[in-house]
């Protein structure tokens, strides 16, 4: 096998290994409210986030495709049966920086890191959150960011 073939083989294996440790939490098209105010998150995703521990908000550090770390505040309703999680603080800054528009796709995922947390002699994998965006095609007459 030529050295370029070996390199491609090992890169492919690394990507497969990374994909196995990655779990998509949700993927959705950006709505008008998502683009202008806050991102609504499916309630079922709360099971994958840290516990709120009696509060109604928590910080989520999230890495984008370029490796930049964003801090979003995920909040839930203080009262009522339906928690309705949303990302508010930090979200609008992300939208502006990435020029997100209605119809673009946002995918949140959880990925185990290679390093872990050692607790009572056991090493537990640490989760990291990531975000990817997929832009929709816009006509040339569309407004830029």
């Amino acid at each position: 096998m030529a050295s370029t073939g070996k390199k491609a083989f090992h890169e492919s294996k690394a990507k497969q290994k990374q994909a196995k440790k990655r779990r998509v939490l949700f993927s959705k098209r950006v709505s008008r409210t998502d683009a202008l105010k806050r991102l609504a998150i499916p309630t079922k995703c709360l099971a994958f986030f840290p516990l709120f521990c009696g509060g109604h908000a928590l910080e989520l550090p999230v890495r984008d495709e370029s490796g930049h770390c964003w801090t979003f505040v995920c909040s839930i309703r203080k009262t009522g049966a339906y928690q309705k999680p949303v990302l508010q603080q930090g979200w609008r800054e992300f939208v502006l920086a990435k020029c997100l528009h209605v119809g673009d796709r946002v995918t949140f995922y959880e990925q185990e890191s290679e390093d872990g947390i050692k607790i009572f002699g056991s090493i537990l994998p640490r989760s990291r959150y990531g975000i990817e965006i997929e832009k929709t095609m816009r006509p040339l007459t569309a407004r830029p960011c």
Side-chain angles (χ1 to χ4, degrees):
M1 188 183 295
S3 69
T4 55
K6 285 183 181 179
K7 183 178 178 182
F9 175 77
H10 290 295
E11 286 175 359
S12 174
K13 284 289 194 186
K15 285 182 181 180
Q16 288 175 358
K17 184 178 177 183
Q18 180 181 8
K20 287 179 185 177
K21 293 184 177 186
R22 180 174 152 168
R23 172 183 19 207
V24 172
L25 301 181
F26 70 93
S27 185
K28 67 178 280 191
R29 295 267 178 213
V30 175
S31 70
R32 187 171 189 275
T33 301
D34 293 333
L36 296 176
K37 295 183 180 185
R38 63 191 162 271
L39 180 72
I41 300 173
T43 305
K44 66 180 181 179
C45 293
L46 288 176
F48 302 106
F49 292 156
L51 297 175
F52 283 82
C53 296
H56 69 281
L58 60 86
E59 288 187 352
L60 287 176
V62 180
R63 286 203 186 277
D64 65 17
E65 305 102 334
S66 66
H68 185 270
C69 191
W70 301 85
T71 301
F72 302 129
V73 174
C74 179
S75 60
I76 54 175
R77 290 182 175 167
K78 293 179 185 178
T79 58
Y82 181 60
Q83 294 177 313
K84 193 178 179 183
V86 294
L87 295 184
Q88 287 184 301
Q89 292 177 354
W91 174 249
R92 184 75 180 127
E93 180 185 357
F94 179 81
V95 168
L96 294 173
K98 297 294 184 174
C99 291
L100 283 180
H101 293 282
V102 173
D104 291 343
R105 179 168 291 284
V106 177
T107 302
F108 266 76
Y109 59 90
E110 177 185 37
Q111 185 163 350
E112 290 181 4
S113 66
E114 293 301 318
D115 60 340
I117 302 170
K118 190 171 186 176
I119 299 177
F120 300 114
S122 297
I123 297 179
L124 304 175
R126 186 185 324 209
S127 291
R128 286 193 230 164
Y129 300 100
I131 185 170
E132 291 179 352
I133 57 172
E134 180 184 323
K135 308 288 261 167
T136 56
M137 297 298 291
R138 286 184 243 316
L140 293 175
T141 56
R143 270 187 313 150
C145 293

